[in-house]
Amino acid sequence: MPAVLFHSLNESPVEWGAALKERIPDLDFRVWPDVGDPKDIEFALLWALPPGSLVSMSNLRCICSLGQGVDHVFLDPDLPPGAKIMRLVDPWMARAMSEWMLLNILRFHRQGLEYQELERQRLWKVLPAPETSERRVGVLGLGALGGDTASKVAALGFDVAGWSRTRKLIGSVESFHGEDQLEAFLNRTDILCCLLPLTPDTAGIIHVDTLAALPKGAFVINAGRGQHVVDEDLLAALDSGHIAGAALDVFHQEPLPPEHPFWAHPKVQVWPHVSAQSNADSAAAQVTDAIVKVFAGLDPNNLVDRERQY
Ligand code: NDP
Ligand code: OXD
């Protein structure tokens, strides 16, 4: 039987190996860097493998991201041209992401930052109650994660819109699409949630001009990738008061270096890339299905377009 190669920064090869062998008992499961003969490897299940590591795997037929994002795969300029690229699309992760987005949206909506400051000053003060239907939430990216978040936020009565490459029909969620409609989408967004994939088209999308297009007092929540945000522009917008607060789960450099200004900024909450974590319990079944299909010469589900890079 051909072999599967595994590489991860955080996830346990022992757990993944056990979960896959429970389903395919004779699986030849190899953990980086113990590759053996690279020609044996037909399926690679990986996260952030050092670029250039796959070049000797001449029989590699499928690279499966150990997460929903695939930007880490495209950092390798020497991807074997014949290998298909796929990713996890995990309902468990969509639920986790929507929970995290809701947590932050509700905290901003219910004046969590203001009451936190009043508490710090030991001030018992009642602010005017916010109106849910008047709070405009905007979700950048309406795919597996953004679509779930947008529909759950809309179900709570918020005024929700989303922005994607192509038009979407998701219940009451207003659909904006394409470059031409980005500004109008931003103009009507009080709480911006980023769930875009990182591609050459989306890198740096949250910058001085897009931040300025949001209404004064808007909030920014990012769980896409750190590279979607120009950090200096967000910091300047927070310091000027144009942006009232930010919740960030992803960063240019992870772990976020101790000296980074986000850590100490009173209007920023830093999370250590945990909004939706992949795990063997929920995702092993779909990876098994992919391995079986690839070894049988078939295409797996959840393939990624090499041109679009998502
Ligand atoms: P999908 O591929 O399912 O969805 C991507 C969405 O972004 C689609 O709606 C797509 O539009 C839209 N999009 C892509 N490029 C553009 C563009 N240039 N202009 C406008 N819209 C665009 O991705 P997922 O929802 O599964 O995941 C999104 C990202 O979330 C991942 O790539 C990853 O970076 C991040 N993530 C973060 C996690 C965390 O723990 N922080 C966990 C998991 C994922 P269309 O549908 O029209 O093509
Ligand atoms: C992912 C992630 O892309 O964890 O799955 O960021």
Side-chain angles (χ1 to χ4, degrees), residues 280-297:
D281 280 349
S282 69
Q286 62 180 279
V287 174
T288 304
D289 178 70
I291 293 170
V292 170
K293 283 190 171 132
V294 168
F295 285 1

Side-chain angles (χ1 to χ4, degrees), residues 47 65-72 93 223-225 250 273 276-278:
W47 183 269
S65 169
L66 204 44
Q68 298 220 172
V70 286
D71 46 296
H72 63 99
M93 290 176 73
R225 286 290 180 260
V250 286
H273 200 144
Q277 294 162 272
S278 27

Side-chain angles (χ1 to χ4, degrees), residues 290-304:
I291 293 170
V292 170
K293 283 190 171 132
V294 168
F295 285 1
L298 304 170
D299 275 352
N301 299 338
N302 303 322
L303 284 174
V304 168

Side-chain angles (χ1 to χ4, degrees), residues 68-69 71 87 93 97 141-146 163-166 168 195-198 201-202 223-225 249-250 273-276 310:
Q68 298 220 172
D71 46 296
R87 67 189 188 108
M93 290 176 73
M97 181 59 80
L142 285 175
L145 300 179
W163 182 73
S164 43
R165 204 176 41 82
T166 56
K168 304 287 177 209
L195 280 171
L196 286 167
L198 180 64
D201 290 336
T202 65
R225 286 290 180 260
D249 185 50
V250 286
H273 200 144
V274 288
S275 49
Y310 74 95

Side-chain angles (χ1 to χ4, degrees), residues 32-71:
W32 178 268
D34 297 325
V35 178
D37 182 349
K39 293 196 191 62
D40 296 342
I41 310 291
E42 286 197 14
F43 192 101
L45 177 60
L46 53 88
W47 183 269
L49 187 66
S53 306
L54 297 173
V55 82
S56 59
M57 299 176 200
S58 50
N59 292 317
L60 189 63
R61 306 199 14 227
C62 182
I63 300 166
C64 174
S65 169
L66 204 44
Q68 298 220 172
V70 286
D71 46 296

